[in-house]
Amino acid sequence: MKSKSSMMSRDLISKALQQSVIKLNPKLMARNPVMFVVEVGLIISLLLIFVPNAFGESVSTGFNIAVAIILLFTILFANFAEALAEGRGKAQADSMKNTQKEIIANRIEGEQIVAVSSTQLRKGDIVKVVQGEMIPGDGEVIKGLASVDESAITGESAPVIKEAGGDFSSVTGGTMVISDEIIIRITSDPGESFMDRMISLVEGAERQKTPNEIALNTVLISLTIIFLMVVVTLPFMASYLNIVLSVPVLIALLVCLIPTTIGGLLSAIGIAGMDRVTRFNVLAMSGKAVEASGDINTIILDKTGTITYGNRMASEFVPTEGHSPQEVGEWAAVSSAFDETPEGRSVLELMKKQNWEYPQSLSEGAEIIEFRAETRMSGLDLTDGRKVRKGAVDAIRKWVVSQGGTIPDNLQANNDAIASAGGTPLAVAVDQEIYGLIYLKDTVKAGMKERFEQMRSMGIKTIMCTGDNPLTAATIAREAGVDDYIAESTPEDKIAVIRREQAEGKLVAMTGDGTNDAPALAQADVGIAMNSGTVAAKEAANMIDLDSDPSKIIEVVAIGKQLLMTRGSLTTFSIANDIAKYFAIIPAMFMVAIPQMQVLNIMNLHSPMSAILSALIFNAIIIPILIPLAMKGVAYKPMSSTKLLRRNLFIYGFGGVVVPFVGIKCIDLIMQTFL
């Protein structure tokens, strides 16, 4: 029994072959000027088969037929490359469409719950989703916490936790709640969902060309026009030497001179580049974003969740003078009574591990002070008038001083000790007194130092942004191996560093998932938002990582570089090919009238006709041979731009000269048996 993937491959190839023929329509071919010129040559060759002397003296009908057939296959091979690239995207889009289906939603209307079709939901509607039910549309969790299966979107079987508030409140239509229940506010109208946008982007054959692709296309058109002018004027120049050049020979010369190889593969390379990013579970909003990622000079990364595992957990209570660890733990637990963040929960878990109790009754009726980026602390205002705060050490220090309190002598020493160990200290204070610190531990992800070394070898600067104090930031930065860091960073700091790098002419990439990351994601040249993040972050970014893996930006950069390398390498190969074709066709055209031209026939080709047909056949078959490379991309290895250029010039420049000499000679040897 054949695998599903192999059957899918046969299906894709079959559809691509059909599209190759459909794309012969001159209106469609006109979008690719290089291949359109080849099609015009095909039409003229077909005319000469039936009217051999339509343009004056002609060669044999058999030669005309051979030229027409070769030109037809040249065009079909180029169309096949583009159709195959488009087909892969359309197949993926069809798979996504299969996951879309009408879902019954429990819409909350006042105090009632009404069952409606998901197609009736509108932006702003409130729905309830319980265990075992599908989420009917894109939205944000406004109440509750649930485990959600997002495998329909990401392909990953591991469920993710979605909860109200924070950076993990965004949910996607078509995913399933597998435990608990949540209340969701719908954030998109029908036809505008995340899945709809994914399908539109993935299947879009009418994609926008990137700036580099447009520039290269302009160069190819210019070369085509130049060689067209040369070929058109060549008969007049040859007449002075009493040489008659037939139209089929001139057509063969033109087709071999113009950059047909890269002209036939250029569109496929761009489409395949987008496809590679999508298959890597990253949704790119445009080809420009993918291409820009290949030119990135600087990457801005959040520490938590990107460089470190992000599970900062309370591991120790460190008291100030006159207090005990248990006292610190008790007040830390009181301040965390309503704190649903992982850090807040870990404080209560540490108390349980220590078998310490805390006065839970103190939190009853207390006013909750939410954490804000501006204050960098949270806590409770108790009913007895006392104020309990937990937060960044410098923020708590300022707050205590503003209350008229004093700073313990050993606070700074304890703070520095935790920070130097790579931990994050949080201070706990009650009114005018700081009781101590909570030691939060985080761990640098395995292999990060090696990955940043790869970035450095690629000429990319890495900057870590963290809300930690300078000592903690310095320790993590040193352990991870980043080039620079920004401690105690705010959203404004991230934008400032992005603008600073851009002002120096650099392209900047950034990852983020929170609403406060949205401005910086929009400012960056390549902004990658996590699918688990907020709607604001996803709307601001030009890429969305469906796996919500912030460190994936490193692979995205590699894919972007691979796209640029593939286009550049195949362009180099295509232009280098022409050298061998010159030595095949030019001597063949003139050496009968000018015997001295025989010295240029360094390949010792059998005859003028076999030389021309061999060059033309090689020009046609090199396109399908290079299709797998265009689809897969040139292998990328992190190295300096100088080494990369030298390597690719040798492989695709020198190789592009040698391969046609060998290929044309081999075809000529085969042709001898037919001519």
Side-chain angles (χ1 to χ4, degrees):
M1 182 177 179
K2 299 290 185 183
S3 67
K4 184 177 180 181
S5 60
S6 64
M7 292 178 65
M8 179 62 74
S9 296
R10 289 202 304 271
D11 186 49
L12 284 177
I13 291 172
S14 175
K15 290 181 179 179
L17 288 172
Q18 295 175 29
Q19 285 297 313
S20 301
V21 177
I22 295 173
K23 287 177 179 286
L24 289 173
N25 184 335
K27 290 183 178 180
L28 299 177
M29 290 299 300
R31 299 172 184 172
N32 187 338
V34 176
M35 299 313 298
F36 180 70
V37 170
V38 179
E39 186 170 49
V40 172
L42 168 63
I43 294 171
I44 296 174
S45 299
L46 290 172
L47 176 64
L48 290 174
I49 294 174
F50 301 101
V51 189
N53 298 317
F55 299 101
E57 185 177 342
S58 182
V59 292
S60 66
T61 301
F63 184 83
N64 287 336
I65 293 173
V67 170
I69 292 174
I70 296 170
L71 294 185
L72 174 61
F73 276 96
T74 301
I75 300 168
L76 288 174
F77 289 150
N79 289 348
F80 177 76
E82 183 177 43
L84 186 62
E86 291 174 351
R88 287 172 64 177
K90 289 178 179 178
Q92 192 172 6
D94 290 339
S95 176
M96 293 178 186
K97 287 177 181 177
N98 291 335
T99 66
Q100 283 191 311
K101 53 187 177 182
E102 187 173 314
I103 301 169
I104 300 301
N106 297 315
R107 185 167 63 190
I108 299 176
E109 299 179 2
E111 296 183 357
Q112 294 184 328
I113 294 179
V114 179
V116 299
S117 167
S118 57
T119 58
Q120 296 178 271
L121 294 176
R122 295 294 180 270
K123 188 174 181 179
D125 284 350
I126 307 297
V127 298
K128 181 179 181 180
V129 188
V130 301
Q131 180 177 344
E133 292 183 346
M134 302 285 284
I135 294 175
D138 293 356
E140 282 191 297
V141 179
I142 59 175
K143 185 178 180 181
L145 177 149
S147 181
V148 178
D149 177 6
E150 293 189 328
S151 58
I153 306 295
T154 67
E156 295 292 332
S157 58
V160 293
I161 301 298
K162 299 291 184 177
E163 57 186 323
D167 297 336
F168 297 93
S169 59
S170 175
V171 292
T172 306
T175 57
M176 177 179 285
V177 173
I178 58 177
S179 71
D180 303 295
E181 61 181 51
I182 45 178
I183 306 296
I184 299 169
R185 179 187 292 111
I186 300 297
T187 56
S188 64
D189 289 324
E192 300 176 358
S193 69
F194 179 64
M195 184 67 83
D196 290 320
R197 286 162 55 205
M198 281 182 66
I199 293 171
S200 176
L201 286 164
V202 170
E203 74 178 351
E206 299 296 326
R207 67 184 182 90
Q208 288 186 337
K209 292 183 178 180
T210 65
N212 282 350
E213 190 175 351
I214 293 172
L216 179 56
N217 199 46
T218 302
V219 172
L220 298 182
I221 293 172
S222 301
L223 288 173
T224 301
I225 293 173
I226 291 171
F227 285 124
L228 182 61
M229 293 173 62
V230 169
V231 171
V232 169
T233 57
L234 197 58
F236 300 102
M237 298 174 61
S239 64
Y240 287 102
L241 301 173
N242 295 319
I243 300 173
V244 178
L245 298 177
S246 64
V247 172
V249 171
L250 291 172
I251 291 174
L253 175 63
L254 176 62
V255 171
C256 287
L257 288 179
I258 62 177
T260 50
T261 305
I262 187 62
L265 295 173
L266 184 60
S267 181
I269 292 170
I271 297 171
M274 288 281 289
D275 180 64
R276 278 195 298 276
V277 173
T278 305
R279 288 174 183 273
F280 201 64
N281 258 7
V282 174
L283 177 63
M285 300 304 176
S286 68
K288 183 178 179 181
V290 179
E291 193 171 85
S293 65
D295 284 328
I296 287 300
N297 306 108
T298 304
I299 297 180
I300 311 294
L301 306 106
D302 275 328
K303 185 204 79 172
T304 306
T306 304
I307 296 174
T308 64
Y309 284 105
N311 53 347
R312 298 191 307 176
M313 304 301 231
S315 62
E316 186 181 352
F317 298 121
V318 181
T320 55
E321 293 177 356
H323 298 290
S324 67
Q326 186 168 351
E327 284 183 287
V328 180
E330 289 173 356
W331 287 114
V334 169
S335 67
S336 304
F338 301 103
D339 186 351
E340 293 300 319
T341 65
E343 290 89 348
R345 293 170 188 159
S346 72
V347 169
L348 301 180
E349 290 172 5
L350 181 57
M351 287 292 289
K352 289 181 181 178
K353 288 180 182 178
Q354 299 285 0
N355 292 318
W356 291 344
E357 299 291 338
Y358 72 97
Q360 299 184 33
S361 59
L362 288 178
S363 60
E364 295 177 2
E367 181 184 352
I368 302 172
I369 307 300
E370 300 285 357
F371 176 86
R372 291 188 295 132
E374 294 81 4
T375 61
R376 298 170 60 218
M377 59 182 175
S378 62
L380 299 176
D381 285 351
L382 306 181
T383 54
D384 61 10
R386 285 182 291 180
K387 298 179 179 180
V388 185
R389 294 292 185 271
K390 174 189 68 180
V393 176
D394 62 322
I396 294 295
R397 183 189 286 113
K398 291 177 183 177
W399 182 77
V400 167
V401 171
S402 70
Q403 301 289 313
T406 58
I407 307 303
D409 294 336
N410 66 339
L411 178 67
Q412 190 61 46
N414 291 342
N415 175 77
D416 293 348
I418 294 173
S420 298
T424 301
L426 293 182
V428 178
V430 181
D431 292 334
Q432 302 174 344
E433 190 172 5
I434 298 179
Y435 276 68
L437 302 174
I438 305 170
Y439 183 173
L440 298 179
K441 272 189 177 179
D442 201 353
T443 307
V444 173
K445 291 181 178 179
M448 290 305 294
K449 194 164 189 173
E450 290 74 17
R451 300 183 84 181
F452 290 136
E453 185 59 40
Q454 289 181 354
M455 293 288 102
R456 200 170 293 108
S457 67
M458 293 159 58
I460 298 175
K461 178 182 179 182
T462 52
I463 301 177
M464 179 185 77
C465 287
T466 176
D468 292 333
N469 63 63
L471 273 175
T472 301
T475 302
I476 295 295
R478 184 170 56 253
E479 186 178 344
V482 295
D483 297 311
D484 199 1
Y485 66 90
I486 301 174
E488 299 176 344
S489 66
T490 63
E492 291 75 19
D493 291 330
K494 294 177 184 178
I495 295 176
V497 71
I498 291 173
R499 288 176 176 169
R500 184 189 71 204
E501 294 290 315
Q502 289 173 333
E504 296 176 3
K506 298 176 182 178
L507 293 183
V508 183
M510 181 192 165
T511 62
D513 56 7
T515 300
N516 62 343
D517 290 326
L521 287 169
Q523 180 67 40
D525 299 285
V526 177
I528 304 181
M530 303 299 103
N531 186 42
S532 61
T534 61
V535 173
K538 288 192 280 189
E539 289 180 346
N542 49 25
M543 288 188 183
I544 298 174
D545 176 18
L546 303 181
D547 295 332
S548 300
D549 177 6
S551 64
K552 194 184 286 185
I553 190 171
I554 298 173
E555 279 78 11
V556 171
V557 169
I559 291 174
K561 286 187 177 295
Q562 186 183 44
L563 170 61
L564 296 175
M565 276 179 51
T566 302
R567 188 182 295 144
S569 298
L570 292 185
T571 299
T572 302
F573 186 87
S574 176
I575 295 174
N577 263 228
D578 290 341
I579 296 175
K581 297 171 192 173
Y582 300 155
F583 283 97
I585 294 184
I586 299 298
M589 292 172 60
F590 293 102
M591 65 185 181
V592 174
I594 309 175
Q596 294 85 348
M597 292 289 287
Q598 178 66 33
V599 71
L600 294 179
N601 185 21
I602 60 178
M603 285 186 279
N604 194 27
L605 300 178
H606 178 258
S607 68
M609 292 299 100
S610 73
I612 293 170
L613 291 177
S614 296
L616 205 58
I617 290 172
F618 177 84
N619 190 69
I621 65 175
I622 196 64
I623 294 176
I625 289 174
L626 292 175
I627 286 177
L629 185 62
M631 294 294 174
K632 186 178 180 181
V634 173
Y636 173 72
K637 294 181 179 179
M639 62 179 69
S640 67
S641 56
T642 303
K643 288 183 179 179
L644 201 57
L645 178 61
R646 190 183 303 122
R647 172 178 175 268
N648 286 345
L649 280 177
F650 176 77
I651 295 175
Y652 298 99
F654 179 71
V657 174
V658 173
V659 169
F661 274 99
V662 176
I664 291 173
K665 180 61 180 175
C666 290
I667 296 171
D668 178 71
L669 292 173
I670 298 172
M671 292 285 292
Q672 292 179 26
T673 60
F674 297 99
L675 296 177

